[in-house]
Amino acid sequence: MILQVKDIEKSFGGIKALDGVKLDIEENTVVGLIGPNGSGKTTLINVISGFMRPDSGSIKFEGRDITSSKPHEIARLGLARTFQLTRIFRRMTVLECMLLASKAQDDGLFNLFFKGKEIYRQERKDIEKARRILELLEIGHLSNEYSGALSGGQQKLLSIGMVQMADPGLVLLDEPVAGVNPTLANKIFEKIEREKEKTTFVVIEHNIDILMNFCDRIYVMNKGRIVASGTPEEIRCNETVIDVYLGG
Ligand SMILES: Nc1ncnc2c1ncn2[C@@H]1O[C@H](COP(=O)(O)OP(=O)(O)OP(=O)(O)O)[C@@H](O)[C@H]1O
Ligand SMILES: [Mg+2]
């Protein structure tokens, strides 16, 4: 298991956003996370990626306990989540965004002062890698555009590409195709599926049909709890799921 989440509790005031959540994510799979609004999906991703501290429970990534680790420590271990394209990113070109997201940026300043030529070599490598990823995502032709000028769907692809720059072992995606037309949404999921040989994905998505097509396993949340999990076929005919989600 690449990720093991056990008995996670998280409350906001009187609201129990996560109520004993348990997840076991197998390596090289695409895992869907679905559930009604306010069921705790985003909170779960915030907790796993270290942006929120759980009240109790434990999280292990590649066998290592990360329950109390900071977001940047978790990211450095190879557990990534998509960047939101903030205003700063919008003013940079697509290629610049990709380079900023590269792992090599970690010691960029050190390189700059002490390594001289080495940094240029690294940068050339990063540029090649960025171009390769952008080609795969079919936004290679937009490398020199400002990211703020991209369409919503293209920006989603860019944020997936930025995450890929750091070669993460596990990527958490919070509604990567929200607001994207169905054709492009399918395409984005195809890209995600193609990457799973290298990277494991946990994807929050409201459209159950798209999850059925692309996920190896689906977890269903309701009111802070995992109420069902299984293969798409198992989820399709699960009574609880039909009641709390599909029926609603
Ligand atoms: N920072 C916060 N402060 C207070 N309450 C919060 C906070 N974040 C989430 N909540 C509450 O926790 C519950 C779960 O919210 P969460 O955003 O995790 O749901 P979600 O499943 O991602 O919903 P959606 O599908 O709408 O994105 C909700 O009742 C929400 O109002
Ligand atoms: Mg959410």
Side-chain angles (χ1 to χ4, degrees), residues 10-23:
K10 177 76 187 173
S11 295
F12 300 106
I15 298 165
K16 209 155 203 191
L18 298 176
D19 186 6
V21 172
K22 182 179 182 301
L23 288 182

Side-chain angles (χ1 to χ4, degrees), residues 12 15 17 35-44 52 174-175 204 206:
F12 300 106
I15 298 165
N37 293 118
S39 54
K41 305 179 298 295
T42 297
T43 305
L44 181 57
M52 277 180 186
D174 195 350
E175 304 195 27
I204 297 178
H206 278 288

